[in-house]
Amino acid sequence: MNFGARKRRTAAATKAAGLDGILITHLPDVRYLCGFTGSNAALAMAGGTAVLFTDGRYTAQAKAEAVGTRVVIANKPVVAAACEWLVEKSVKRCGFDALHTTVAALESMHKAVPTKVRRGMFVASEPVVARLREVKDVDEISKIRKTASLGGQLFDGMLEYLRPGLKEMEVAAELEYRARLAGAEAMSFETIVASGERSALPHGRASLAKLPKRGFVTMDFGVVLDGYMSDMTRTVHLGRAVNGEQDVYHAVLEAQVAAVAAVAPGVTAGEVDEAARSVLRRAGLDTFFTHSTGHGVGLEIHEGPRLAAKQTQPLKAGMVITIEPGVYIPGRFGLRIEDMVLVTPAGGEVLTPSVKAWIEL
Ligand code: ZN
Ligand code: ZN
């Protein structure tokens, strides 16, 4: 594990942001920095030290997981205990996560510190840990490879199962059952199975609708292995396509392949988005591509960078992103193709093993 290196990088980024301490309460960030997976935790860092605060339910688990980090079992809210420690460490400017801190938590942070040090102590800083997490280390990449590969295997196995008349819900249940049997801790998000006209819904969660004799089935799902999430989408066609579905499919596939080919360190997220979007524009389908091209993925399903129009953030080697253009024609049909892609010094490496060619079942 690289917890030591991750904490050192966090300390350096904290300092660079003009802070002398940081309070980390977003649980995926806590897990990233010390390995602790419990549901109640705060990690405080100052003066080269990190302390994990949790409660009595997690005494044994914290000791086992957070190796190399001091653990305090707090008998008060963990945020309050962490703030008291930060005051003890004479922290004057402490960054906190504005995106994930509730008003109530902020109030208890303020209450935990004496009035005379309170003023200006808590700074809604830039998301220090989220930024670091965008670039995956070797350990994370090996875990992400495994989860992406399991996702692909599960999809491949489902091809024999899919048939007209099954409810979307049954398809999702079967997929999730197989995922658990294969060792998945959970699904990354609510499984999307959208068939027939419902395939025109970009996020059509599995419903009681039945798979049609003729039409698309889009499956977008992910599995969690060792905390790391996969995310993939494939769209297959049941029966013979007769209404131009195949042309639209090939345009989306071309857009997806073009965006993957555009991936390289230094290329901006917006340029990758444009690589997909311009293919669909030429095909006259861009108005039906109503979402962004992709997102970072790791301990959370949606992380930075965001691959959308005009995003100027440059890609870096070690980022893991999705590339997922789609076309959704209301009242008719829709489809999406999504891979996970590792940014390497040489370009984009697709981690999702399943084929993307037209599949007719
Ligand atoms: Zn997805
Ligand atoms: Zn996605």
Side-chain angles (χ1 to χ4, degrees), residues 189 192 203 219-222 230-233 295 301-302 322 324 336 338-339:
F189 52 89
I192 290 170
H203 266 197
M219 294 169 61
D220 184 351
F221 70 98
S230 73
D231 187 7
M232 70 175 285
T233 309
H295 53 89
I301 189 63
H302 291 129
T322 68
E324 50 179 304
R336 174 167 64 258
E338 174 180 27
D339 281 330

PDB file of all heavy atoms in Angstrom, residues 189 192 203 219-222 230-233 295 301-302 322 324 336 338-339, ligand 1:
ATOM      1  N   PHE A 189     -23.286   1.408  -8.790  1.00  0.00           N
ATOM      2  CA  PHE A 189     -24.467   2.297  -8.796  1.00  0.00           C
ATOM      3  C   PHE A 189     -25.642   1.434  -9.213  1.00  0.00           C
ATOM      4  O   PHE A 189     -25.463   0.264  -9.585  1.00  0.00           O
ATOM      5  CB  PHE A 189     -24.266   3.474  -9.767  1.00  0.00           C
ATOM      6  CG  PHE A 189     -23.862   3.054 -11.156  1.00  0.00           C
ATOM      7  CD1 PHE A 189     -24.813   2.768 -12.123  1.00  0.00           C
ATOM      8  CD2 PHE A 189     -22.517   2.899 -11.485  1.00  0.00           C
ATOM      9  CE1 PHE A 189     -24.434   2.336 -13.391  1.00  0.00           C
ATOM     10  CE2 PHE A 189     -22.131   2.473 -12.758  1.00  0.00           C
ATOM     11  CZ  PHE A 189     -23.097   2.198 -13.711  1.00  0.00           C
ATOM     12  N   ILE A 192     -28.349   0.045 -14.736  1.00  0.00           N
ATOM     13  CA  ILE A 192     -29.210   0.566 -15.792  1.00  0.00           C
ATOM     14  C   ILE A 192     -29.447  -0.533 -16.823  1.00  0.00           C
ATOM     15  O   ILE A 192     -28.496  -1.102 -17.365  1.00  0.00           O
ATOM     16  CB  ILE A 192     -28.557   1.805 -16.452  1.00  0.00           C
ATOM     17  CG1 ILE A 192     -28.565   2.981 -15.463  1.00  0.00           C
ATOM     18  CG2 ILE A 192     -29.256   2.168 -17.760  1.00  0.00           C
ATOM     19  CD1 ILE A 192     -27.750   4.173 -15.908  1.00  0.00           C
ATOM     20  N   HIS A 203     -30.379   7.484 -18.583  1.00  0.00           N
ATOM     21  CA  HIS A 203     -30.206   6.795 -17.309  1.00  0.00           C
ATOM     22  C   HIS A 203     -31.456   6.023 -16.913  1.00  0.00           C
ATOM     23  O   HIS A 203     -32.008   6.217 -15.839  1.00  0.00           O
ATOM     24  CB  HIS A 203     -29.788   7.775 -16.200  1.00  0.00           C
ATOM     25  CG  HIS A 203     -28.309   7.822 -16.049  1.00  0.00           C
ATOM     26  ND1 HIS A 203     -27.669   8.338 -14.955  1.00  0.00           N
ATOM     27  CD2 HIS A 203     -27.329   7.382 -16.870  1.00  0.00           C
ATOM     28  CE1 HIS A 203     -26.362   8.226 -15.123  1.00  0.00           C
ATOM     29  NE2 HIS A 203     -26.127   7.662 -16.281  1.00  0.00           N
ATOM     30  N   MET A 219     -27.167  -1.749 -21.314  1.00  0.00           N
ATOM     31  CA  MET A 219     -26.817  -2.110 -19.938  1.00  0.00           C
ATOM     32  C   MET A 219     -25.625  -1.280 -19.503  1.00  0.00           C
ATOM     33  O   MET A 219     -24.572  -1.311 -20.141  1.00  0.00           O
ATOM     34  CB  MET A 219     -26.474  -3.601 -19.837  1.00  0.00           C
ATOM     35  CG  MET A 219     -27.678  -4.501 -20.109  1.00  0.00           C
ATOM     36  SD  MET A 219     -27.211  -6.234 -20.294  1.00  0.00           S
ATOM     37  CE  MET A 219     -26.498  -6.536 -18.705  1.00  0.00           C
ATOM     38  N   ASP A 220     -25.813  -0.521 -18.441  1.00  0.00           N
ATOM     39  CA  ASP A 220     -24.744   0.318 -17.881  1.00  0.00           C
ATOM     40  C   ASP A 220     -24.630  -0.064 -16.417  1.00  0.00           C
ATOM     41  O   ASP A 220     -25.593   0.076 -15.653  1.00  0.00           O
ATOM     42  CB  ASP A 220     -25.120   1.801 -18.037  1.00  0.00           C
ATOM     43  CG  ASP A 220     -24.013   2.741 -17.568  1.00  0.00           C
ATOM     44  OD1 ASP A 220     -23.023   2.269 -16.977  1.00  0.00           O
ATOM     45  OD2 ASP A 220     -24.158   3.969 -17.795  1.00  0.00           O
ATOM     46  N   PHE A 221     -23.484  -0.578 -16.047  1.00  0.00           N
ATOM     47  CA  PHE A 221     -23.360  -1.090 -14.672  1.00  0.00           C
ATOM     48  C   PHE A 221     -21.891  -1.104 -14.264  1.00  0.00           C
ATOM     49  O   PHE A 221     -20.996  -0.911 -15.090  1.00  0.00           O
ATOM     50  CB  PHE A 221     -23.931  -2.515 -14.589  1.00  0.00           C
ATOM     51  CG  PHE A 221     -23.085  -3.531 -15.317  1.00  0.00           C
ATOM     52  CD1 PHE A 221     -22.168  -4.316 -14.623  1.00  0.00           C
ATOM     53  CD2 PHE A 221     -23.159  -3.665 -16.691  1.00  0.00           C
ATOM     54  CE1 PHE A 221     -21.356  -5.222 -15.289  1.00  0.00           C
ATOM     55  CE2 PHE A 221     -22.355  -4.574 -17.369  1.00  0.00           C
ATOM     56  CZ  PHE A 221     -21.450  -5.344 -16.664  1.00  0.00           C
ATOM     57  N   GLY A 222     -21.695  -1.346 -12.986  1.00  0.00           N
ATOM     58  CA  GLY A 222     -20.327  -1.466 -12.495  1.00  0.00           C
ATOM     59  C   GLY A 222     -20.290  -2.331 -11.256  1.00  0.00           C
ATOM     60  O   GLY A 222     -21.304  -2.496 -10.570  1.00  0.00           O
ATOM     61  N   SER A 230     -15.980  -0.276 -11.139  1.00  0.00           N
ATOM     62  CA  SER A 230     -15.929  -0.314 -12.601  1.00  0.00           C
ATOM     63  C   SER A 230     -17.171   0.387 -13.134  1.00  0.00           C
ATOM     64  O   SER A 230     -18.132   0.630 -12.391  1.00  0.00           O
ATOM     65  CB  SER A 230     -15.862  -1.753 -13.114  1.00  0.00           C
ATOM     66  OG  SER A 230     -17.108  -2.397 -12.962  1.00  0.00           O
ATOM     67  N   ASP A 231     -17.138   0.701 -14.405  1.00  0.00           N
ATOM     68  CA  ASP A 231     -18.241   1.391 -15.062  1.00  0.00           C
ATOM     69  C   ASP A 231     -18.147   1.063 -16.544  1.00  0.00           C
ATOM     70  O   ASP A 231     -17.131   1.365 -17.180  1.00  0.00           O
ATOM     71  CB  ASP A 231     -18.102   2.906 -14.824  1.00  0.00           C
ATOM     72  CG  ASP A 231     -19.303   3.690 -15.321  1.00  0.00           C
ATOM     73  OD1 ASP A 231     -20.300   3.072 -15.732  1.00  0.00           O
ATOM     74  OD2 ASP A 231     -19.229   4.941 -15.299  1.00  0.00           O
ATOM     75  N   MET A 232     -19.174   0.426 -17.075  1.00  0.00           N
ATOM     76  CA  MET A 232     -19.163   0.123 -18.513  1.00  0.00           C
ATOM     77  C   MET A 232     -20.591   0.124 -19.044  1.00  0.00           C
ATOM     78  O   MET A 232     -21.540  -0.118 -18.308  1.00  0.00           O
ATOM     79  CB  MET A 232     -18.516  -1.242 -18.796  1.00  0.00           C
ATOM     80  CG  MET A 232     -19.330  -2.440 -18.327  1.00  0.00           C
ATOM     81  SD  MET A 232     -18.590  -4.033 -18.813  1.00  0.00           S
ATOM     82  CE  MET A 232     -18.996  -4.102 -20.570  1.00  0.00           C
ATOM     83  N   THR A 233     -20.710   0.400 -20.320  1.00  0.00           N
ATOM     84  CA  THR A 233     -22.009   0.302 -20.989  1.00  0.00           C
ATOM     85  C   THR A 233     -21.833  -0.433 -22.307  1.00  0.00           C
ATOM     86  O   THR A 233     -20.875  -0.161 -23.044  1.00  0.00           O
ATOM     87  CB  THR A 233     -22.581   1.699 -21.322  1.00  0.00           C
ATOM     88  OG1 THR A 233     -22.543   2.511 -20.163  1.00  0.00           O
ATOM     89  CG2 THR A 233     -24.020   1.599 -21.815  1.00  0.00           C
ATOM     90  N   HIS A 295     -15.898  10.659 -17.359  1.00  0.00           N
ATOM     91  CA  HIS A 295     -15.555  11.104 -16.002  1.00  0.00           C
ATOM     92  C   HIS A 295     -14.459  10.208 -15.451  1.00  0.00           C
ATOM     93  O   HIS A 295     -14.302   9.070 -15.907  1.00  0.00           O
ATOM     94  CB  HIS A 295     -16.797  11.027 -15.102  1.00  0.00           C
ATOM     95  CG  HIS A 295     -17.476   9.677 -15.122  1.00  0.00           C
ATOM     96  ND1 HIS A 295     -17.137   8.650 -14.271  1.00  0.00           N
ATOM     97  CD2 HIS A 295     -18.455   9.171 -15.929  1.00  0.00           C
ATOM     98  CE1 HIS A 295     -17.885   7.597 -14.535  1.00  0.00           C
ATOM     99  NE2 HIS A 295     -18.691   7.873 -15.540  1.00  0.00           N
ATOM    100  N   ILE A 301     -17.666   6.500  -8.132  1.00  0.00           N
ATOM    101  CA  ILE A 301     -18.067   6.290  -9.530  1.00  0.00           C
ATOM    102  C   ILE A 301     -17.854   7.549 -10.370  1.00  0.00           C
ATOM    103  O   ILE A 301     -17.507   7.455 -11.540  1.00  0.00           O
ATOM    104  CB  ILE A 301     -19.525   5.760  -9.626  1.00  0.00           C
ATOM    105  CG1 ILE A 301     -19.842   5.330 -11.048  1.00  0.00           C
ATOM    106  CG2 ILE A 301     -20.555   6.745  -9.105  1.00  0.00           C
ATOM    107  CD1 ILE A 301     -18.999   4.200 -11.554  1.00  0.00           C
ATOM    108  N   HIS A 302     -18.054   8.718  -9.775  1.00  0.00           N
ATOM    109  CA  HIS A 302     -17.795   9.951 -10.509  1.00  0.00           C
ATOM    110  C   HIS A 302     -16.708  10.750  -9.801  1.00  0.00           C
ATOM    111  O   HIS A 302     -16.933  11.286  -8.726  1.00  0.00           O
ATOM    112  CB  HIS A 302     -19.069  10.803 -10.647  1.00  0.00           C
ATOM    113  CG  HIS A 302     -20.088  10.185 -11.561  1.00  0.00           C
ATOM    114  ND1 HIS A 302     -21.400   9.999 -11.215  1.00  0.00           N
ATOM    115  CD2 HIS A 302     -19.958   9.690 -12.818  1.00  0.00           C
ATOM    116  CE1 HIS A 302     -22.037   9.421 -12.234  1.00  0.00           C
ATOM    117  NE2 HIS A 302     -21.182   9.226 -13.214  1.00  0.00           N
ATOM    118  N   THR A 322     -13.713   7.357 -18.035  1.00  0.00           N
ATOM    119  CA  THR A 322     -14.621   6.635 -18.910  1.00  0.00           C
ATOM    120  C   THR A 322     -14.767   7.436 -20.198  1.00  0.00           C
ATOM    121  O   THR A 322     -14.621   8.654 -20.206  1.00  0.00           O
ATOM    122  CB  THR A 322     -16.019   6.476 -18.299  1.00  0.00           C
ATOM    123  OG1 THR A 322     -16.641   7.762 -18.226  1.00  0.00           O
ATOM    124  CG2 THR A 322     -15.962   5.854 -16.914  1.00  0.00           C
ATOM    125  N   GLU A 324     -17.776   7.574 -22.922  1.00  0.00           N
ATOM    126  CA  GLU A 324     -19.126   7.028 -23.050  1.00  0.00           C
ATOM    127  C   GLU A 324     -20.103   7.891 -23.845  1.00  0.00           C
ATOM    128  O   GLU A 324     -21.128   8.322 -23.324  1.00  0.00           O
ATOM    129  CB  GLU A 324     -19.705   6.756 -21.667  1.00  0.00           C
ATOM    130  CG  GLU A 324     -19.593   7.917 -20.683  1.00  0.00           C
ATOM    131  CD  GLU A 324     -20.231   7.574 -19.330  1.00  0.00           C
ATOM    132  OE1 GLU A 324     -21.402   7.209 -19.324  1.00  0.00           O
ATOM    133  OE2 GLU A 324     -19.536   7.688 -18.307  1.00  0.00           O
ATOM    134  N   ARG A 336     -25.655   3.682 -25.976  1.00  0.00           N
ATOM    135  CA  ARG A 336     -24.403   4.250 -25.455  1.00  0.00           C
ATOM    136  C   ARG A 336     -23.372   3.140 -25.432  1.00  0.00           C
ATOM    137  O   ARG A 336     -23.716   1.961 -25.261  1.00  0.00           O
ATOM    138  CB  ARG A 336     -24.634   4.805 -24.043  1.00  0.00           C
ATOM    139  CG  ARG A 336     -23.391   5.305 -23.327  1.00  0.00           C
ATOM    140  CD  ARG A 336     -23.697   6.120 -22.071  1.00  0.00           C
ATOM    141  NE  ARG A 336     -24.352   5.348 -21.027  1.00  0.00           N
ATOM    142  CZ  ARG A 336     -25.628   5.387 -20.747  1.00  0.00           C
ATOM    143  NH1 ARG A 336     -26.431   6.175 -21.428  1.00  0.00           N
ATOM    144  NH2 ARG A 336     -26.147   4.644 -19.791  1.00  0.00           N
ATOM    145  N   GLU A 338     -19.620   2.498 -23.500  1.00  0.00           N
ATOM    146  CA  GLU A 338     -18.736   3.074 -22.481  1.00  0.00           C
ATOM    147  C   GLU A 338     -17.623   2.100 -22.101  1.00  0.00           C
ATOM    148  O   GLU A 338     -17.883   0.957 -21.750  1.00  0.00           O
ATOM    149  CB  GLU A 338     -19.550   3.402 -21.219  1.00  0.00           C
ATOM    150  CG  GLU A 338     -18.693   3.865 -20.047  1.00  0.00           C
ATOM    151  CD  GLU A 338     -19.510   4.188 -18.795  1.00  0.00           C
ATOM    152  OE1 GLU A 338     -20.603   3.604 -18.633  1.00  0.00           O
ATOM    153  OE2 GLU A 338     -19.052   5.017 -17.999  1.00  0.00           O
ATOM    154  N   ASP A 339     -16.409   2.615 -22.139  1.00  0.00           N
ATOM    155  CA  ASP A 339     -15.242   1.873 -21.677  1.00  0.00           C
ATOM    156  C   ASP A 339     -14.563   2.643 -20.564  1.00  0.00           C
ATOM    157  O   ASP A 339     -14.660   3.864 -20.503  1.00  0.00           O
ATOM    158  CB  ASP A 339     -14.201   1.757 -22.807  1.00  0.00           C
ATOM    159  CG  ASP A 339     -14.532   0.685 -23.819  1.00  0.00           C
ATOM    160  OD1 ASP A 339     -15.160  -0.313 -23.447  1.00  0.00           O
ATOM    161  OD2 ASP A 339     -14.138   0.867 -24.997  1.00  0.00           O
TER     162      ASP A 339
HETATM  163 ZN    ZN B   1     -21.721   3.902 -16.853  1.00  0.00          ZN
END
